[in-house]
Amino acid sequence: MKIEEIQIGKVSIPLKKPFKTALRRVDSAEDIIIKVITDTSEVGFGNAPPTAVITGDSQDSIIASIRDTLGPKIIGMPINNLEGIMTILDAGMLHNHSAKAALDIAVHDLFGKCFGLPLYKLFGGFRTSLETDLTISLNSPEEMVRDALEAVAQGYTALKLKVGNDPALDVQRVQAIRGAVGRAIKIRLDANQGWGAKEAVRIIQRFETDGLDIELVEQPVKAHDLEGLKYVTDRVATDIMADESAFGPFEVFQLLSLRACDLINIKLMKAGGLHNALKIVHFAETMDVQCMIGCMLECKIGITAAASLAGGKRIITRADLDAAVLLAEDPVVGGVSFCKNQLLIPDAPGLGITDIIGWQPVE
């Protein structure tokens, strides 16, 4: 089974509600979809959502990277040489992690299909389902309370609240939501780099003093500010999770060496795919640091790949894989399925995906 062709396409999927963070607002998911086709006519599926404010990748840059640089380098390579393909993708282009992730996911899909193995078993086979939280977008306290109560009614037991654009309002948001949902619901906060280090310490200590029982705070400071992240981690009792700071294996090595955070958020589009995400997992296992598996605003291809990694690895103890739930439509045939707050990992070979409805090929 050798790689013969790579097809690139797009899908545009409206969101059920606008997605708002301290960094951006999104009304529809604009996803790049690829099909890696072999000489045996087997198809591997990959995707990459452009997230310029975090990864630096746009639709055009992802398409050009796959079509003109990375894709041609792996044409003709046998799928069973997974390490060789991943080495070429890593070395073939600096940065451009989303493009690399799309190809990496599709090749892993084919690798699983080649050997009749679901990816979660390839990665260790630890579990067949996992619980995801649901993200509550950054809005007024009243609107966020409504969204939080709606999520709880749907069966979610963990909520990730977007904060970071106004410290005083952030306190009101968290107080209002904790009062509305009660103590049985886990509350996670994501500041998306929105606070300064000293400001973050003041706010988080306020949450602690008020007894708001926050499970973790994600990326309180700028991504490059590892010293600031460590400053916060060392001065609060609440667990601090690195997201934008934890870009790929090298950055995670730096974070763990500095003991700058308590938790790591792994995202395939930051890491450059499953191959590098697995390196992050191994660093975390060595240091006994728990991980969350997260996502960008992507369709179910990337969500299935991320869930498969989490299904294989015990050190991934939390999941923020709600992007497919936030979309108004699901163009992916196969892959993970959802039951309230549970993701059910398919037992079919590879990703268990058979088709993408409505994708538009790119010339």
Side-chain angles (χ1 to χ4, degrees):
M1 186 186 289
K2 294 183 179 181
I3 298 173
E4 189 170 78
E5 182 185 2
I6 298 171
Q7 297 179 358
I8 307 172
K10 298 180 182 180
V11 291
S12 179
I13 312 169
L15 272 64
K16 294 174 183 175
K17 299 178 181 179
F19 181 80
K20 303 177 187 177
T21 75
L23 293 174
R24 60 178 180 149
R25 171 186 168 132
V26 182
D27 294 285
S28 64
E30 307 296 329
D31 218 350
I32 303 299
I33 306 293
I34 67 165
K35 297 179 181 179
V36 176
I37 303 169
T38 70
D39 56 352
T40 60
S41 299
E42 191 67 77
V43 179
F45 295 94
N47 79 304
T51 316
V53 295
I54 296 175
T55 64
D57 300 322
S58 67
Q59 273 200 346
D60 289 343
S61 71
I62 293 168
I63 292 168
S65 299
I66 295 170
R67 182 188 60 209
D68 302 332
T69 304
L70 294 171
K73 292 179 185 296
I74 62 172
I75 295 292
M77 294 194 69
I79 289 298
N80 60 8
N81 185 6
L82 184 63
E83 184 73 6
I85 295 172
M86 294 301 118
T87 299
I88 286 174
L89 292 181
D90 274 344
M93 197 173 193
L94 189 63
H95 306 310
N96 291 279
H97 295 109
S98 298
K100 292 177 181 179
L103 288 166
D104 168 289
I105 291 168
V107 170
H108 275 88
D109 185 20
L110 284 169
F111 189 82
K113 289 173 178 175
C114 182
F115 293 99
L117 194 68
L119 282 188
Y120 82 93
K121 290 185 178 179
L122 174 68
F123 293 127
F126 184 66
R127 57 173 78 89
T128 59
S129 66
L130 56 152
E131 176 188 336
T132 181
D133 61 23
L134 189 73
T135 301
I136 306 299
S137 282
L138 186 65
N139 285 300
S140 69
E142 295 78 15
E143 188 170 351
M144 291 179 73
V145 165
R146 287 196 299 271
D147 289 344
L149 289 173
E150 181 181 310
V152 171
Q154 291 170 355
Y156 290 91
T157 57
L159 306 176
K160 187 168 89 165
L161 315 184
K162 292 293 188 179
V163 293
N165 72 336
D166 183 326
L169 197 55
D170 287 338
V171 173
Q172 293 179 34
R173 289 169 171 133
V174 178
Q175 287 174 334
I177 291 171
R178 173 55 80 198
V181 302
R183 294 284 164 176
I185 303 299
K186 296 175 186 176
I187 290 182
R188 303 162 180 170
L189 305 183
D190 185 2
N192 284 115
Q193 311 177 58
W195 300 326
K198 290 184 178 181
E199 182 179 52
V201 170
R202 288 195 298 270
I203 295 168
I204 296 167
Q205 288 181 345
R206 169 72 182 276
F207 294 147
E208 293 170 350
T209 300
D210 290 351
L212 295 178
D213 190 21
I214 304 305
E215 182 191 9
L216 60 88
V217 176
E218 183 176 347
Q219 199 61 49
V221 301
K222 295 295 183 185
H224 65 267
D225 188 9
L226 303 191
E227 294 83 1
L229 190 64
K230 179 173 174 56
Y231 180 92
V232 178
T233 300
D234 288 346
R235 286 163 176 79
V236 299
T238 305
D239 281 345
I240 302 300
M241 182 163 66
D243 179 9
E244 290 94 335
S245 293
F247 213 86
F250 178 72
E251 291 82 3
V252 170
F253 175 78
Q254 288 181 304
L255 287 167
L256 297 179
S257 298
L258 292 169
R259 298 187 180 274
C261 60
D262 301 297
L263 305 163
I264 298 291
N265 190 346
I266 302 171
K267 293 179 179 175
L268 302 185
M269 298 303 141
K270 293 185 305 177
L274 291 159
H275 178 68
N276 281 325
L278 191 59
K279 295 178 185 177
I280 294 172
V281 166
H282 291 157
F283 282 144
E285 286 174 334
T286 302
M287 299 296 288
D288 197 26
V289 171
Q290 295 179 15
C291 298
M292 172 184 277
I293 190 74
C295 61
M296 304 301 186
L297 274 176
E298 59 212 72
C299 73
K300 215 167 57 178
I301 300 173
I303 299 301
T304 303
S308 297
L309 179 62
K313 294 301 178 182
R314 177 188 57 83
I315 202 71
I316 301 176
T317 57
R318 299 167 176 84
D320 177 36
L321 295 179
D322 60 346
V325 176
L326 303 178
L327 305 180
E329 302 167 2
D330 178 13
V332 180
V333 180
V336 294
S337 57
F338 297 86
C339 181
K340 296 183 179 179
N341 65 342
Q342 296 291 315
L343 278 80
L344 309 179
I345 303 170
D347 209 42
L351 297 174
I353 292 170
T354 58
D355 199 7
I356 309 296
I357 299 170
W359 88 310
Q360 300 295 319
V362 173
E363 297 299 330

